Amino acid sequence: MAQRTLNIVFPAAGVVRRGGLRTAADRREPYPAVWAVNVRLEDALTNRLRGGSFTAIEAVPKEDPVYRDRAISFSGAVVKASRVGKHTDDDLSSDVSDVMRPALWVLTDAGGTPETVVAVAPFEDQHLLCFTADETWVLSGDPLTGRLRNVSREVGIIGAGAWCENHGTFYFLSSHGLYSVNADGTGLKPVSEDKIPEELTGVEDVLCTLTYNHADRGVYIHRSSGLSWFYDSGRDQFWPFDLTETDSHVLLGPFRLGQADTFGQVVNLHGNVAAGSDDVAWRIVTGDTAEEAAANGKAAITAALAGTSYASYVESSGTWSAGRAHMAYPRTRAVWCVLWLHSTGTWAFEEIILGAFVSGKWR
């Protein structure tokens, strides 16, 4: 029986698990990873777009908001702005002719019932975005003389720090997912609605913090517990990370080893990792379907991160060092498989060539 050769490249489309599973074929085109932790497309060694480990930045705490030289605070349904230039002065008994006096307002139209304010986000001295859990508003101009208008009555924010800004574009995490909006309130839209991880919808995490990092050209979504996420805004990709972990993991595949009704057998595995990389462990995880192989691979990574045994998921394994080609002969027989790469250090991906041939009927 002729041998089938798969040229395996890095899953350059990010982690995508919403909707149907897209499987990796033996051709060089971007495909998604079914799961990964502490890896992304831009490698940590030379910043090339070949895939590898990365270390996320720490969350950056939000500074106390200041808008038009007024300290902005909120409590309950009320937003308050201090006297111009005197951030501790919020005395509302000032002369109404004093245009620098403190101000307060609520996020509602006339006669409406205001909701509790969750966050405010200033942009220069032009606009102040204001959020409740379910609504978005924008104040343009000074709090005393400017215009307050509603942007959305359906989309709000989950926490006081769950926003960040990049050159007038704000990203914020809503209970519906990640959104972007212009500083003036225009252009509100969901970010990558067809790609956003399920872990970033329906989030209830008041301590979640978003940070835009210009060096990485993306949004760090720091969760207070569990995995956090990096959104590569330039390439429209999501990658999960864990600041408490130094290990990195990625699943490549799934790959069909045989044909529609047959098993396949992995006869050789030719791996290349970049020069300067630390050792990379490879493991083959199998399943009767693409979904089963992917689910088993994710469960194995979850067990590894939790410090529990993942041996029951692994059919074959080995280790590759940097700077040379490596050949292994796993002899693994299955219908589908994923290739799990894992390292405790810094590494970058080059290429893997997998050889397989048909190995009996699958019933």
Side-chain angles (χ1 to χ4, degrees):
M1 181 66 67
Q3 179 173 309
R4 181 187 181 195
T5 300
L6 302 179
N7 296 307
I8 302 174
V9 296
F10 193 81
V15 171
V16 181
R17 291 295 287 117
R18 291 174 64 83
L21 178 66
R22 288 174 54 197
T23 59
D26 54 339
R27 56 185 182 271
R28 290 177 176 270
E29 64 178 28
Y31 72 97
V34 293
W35 197 240
V37 178
N38 294 343
V39 304
R40 66 176 183 186
L41 180 59
E42 187 172 336
D43 75 69
L45 290 177
T46 61
N47 300 116
R48 287 173 54 192
L49 300 182
R50 56 182 175 179
S53 62
F54 92 109
T55 301
I57 65 168
E58 299 281 348
V60 178
K62 296 288 188 293
E63 297 180 354
D64 293 337
V66 175
Y67 176 63
R68 299 178 75 92
D69 203 13
R70 298 175 180 269
I72 307 297
S73 60
F74 52 90
S75 178
V78 176
V79 185
K80 185 177 288 188
S82 75
R83 172 177 288 276
V84 175
K86 294 185 178 180
H87 296 176
T88 59
D89 182 358
D90 58 2
D91 184 3
L92 297 176
S93 63
S94 303
D95 185 346
V96 294
S97 64
D98 181 0
V99 296
M100 301 177 72
R101 71 186 185 276
L104 65 77
W105 64 95
V106 292
L107 304 181
T108 185
D109 297 319
T113 301
E115 294 186 2
T116 298
V117 181
V118 176
V120 295
F123 178 70
E124 298 178 347
D125 285 340
Q126 302 175 31
H127 307 285
L128 180 70
L129 288 166
C130 304
F131 301 91
T132 71
D134 302 304
E135 295 183 344
T136 300
W137 296 72
V138 64
L139 171 71
S140 298
D142 188 80
L144 285 176
T145 59
R147 178 193 178 204
L148 177 69
R149 69 178 181 87
N150 179 261
V151 174
S152 173
R153 301 188 189 279
E154 298 179 349
V155 178
I157 202 168
I158 66 168
W163 62 271
C164 63
E165 180 262 334
N166 174 42
H167 299 303
T169 297
F170 283 77
Y171 296 90
F172 66 96
L173 191 62
S174 164
S175 61
H176 303 291
L178 185 65
Y179 278 73
S180 67
V181 65
N182 297 325
D184 63 357
T186 61
L188 176 68
K189 61 183 179 181
V191 173
S192 290
E193 196 169 22
D194 61 334
K195 293 183 179 180
I196 189 166
E198 294 177 359
E199 292 84 355
L200 291 180
T201 59
V203 175
E204 296 180 2
D205 185 356
V206 297
L207 299 179
C208 177
T209 300
L210 268 61
T211 302
Y212 192 91
N213 185 265
H214 292 277
D216 292 329
R217 298 177 295 280
V219 178
Y220 284 91
I221 304 169
H222 292 91
R223 300 287 308 275
S224 62
S225 62
L227 288 173
S228 296
W229 290 81
F230 172 72
Y231 172 65
D232 185 328
S233 58
R235 302 179 186 93
D236 193 27
Q237 301 169 357
F238 289 90
W239 298 99
F241 66 89
D242 187 345
L243 285 173
T244 68
E245 285 286 339
T246 57
D247 289 15
S248 55
H249 307 262
V250 63
L251 296 180
L252 282 61
F255 308 103
R256 187 194 292 274
L257 296 180
Q259 297 174 350
D261 59 349
T262 65
F263 285 99
Q265 182 170 308
V266 180
V267 292
N268 54 62
L269 196 61
H270 187 183
N272 294 273
V273 291
S277 295
D278 290 313
D279 287 354
V280 176
W282 61 266
R283 302 180 181 98
I284 296 177
V285 179
T286 63
D288 287 341
T289 64
E291 288 287 355
E292 183 179 21
N296 288 343
K298 182 177 180 179
I301 291 176
T302 301
L305 291 171
T308 58
S309 176
Y310 50 80
S312 61
Y313 298 106
V314 176
E315 297 295 333
S316 303
S317 62
T319 301
W320 293 324
S321 55
R324 53 175 293 188
H326 304 271
M327 185 68 79
Y329 303 93
R331 304 298 180 186
T332 298
R333 184 173 184 263
V335 182
W336 289 88
C337 79
V338 291
L339 188 62
W340 169 20
L341 302 186
H342 166 215
S343 180
T344 60
T346 303
W347 60 280
F349 183 87
E350 289 292 354
E351 185 180 49
I352 298 168
I353 300 174
L354 183 151
F357 60 78
V358 172
S359 180
K361 286 286 187 178
W362 173 57
R363 295 179 175 84

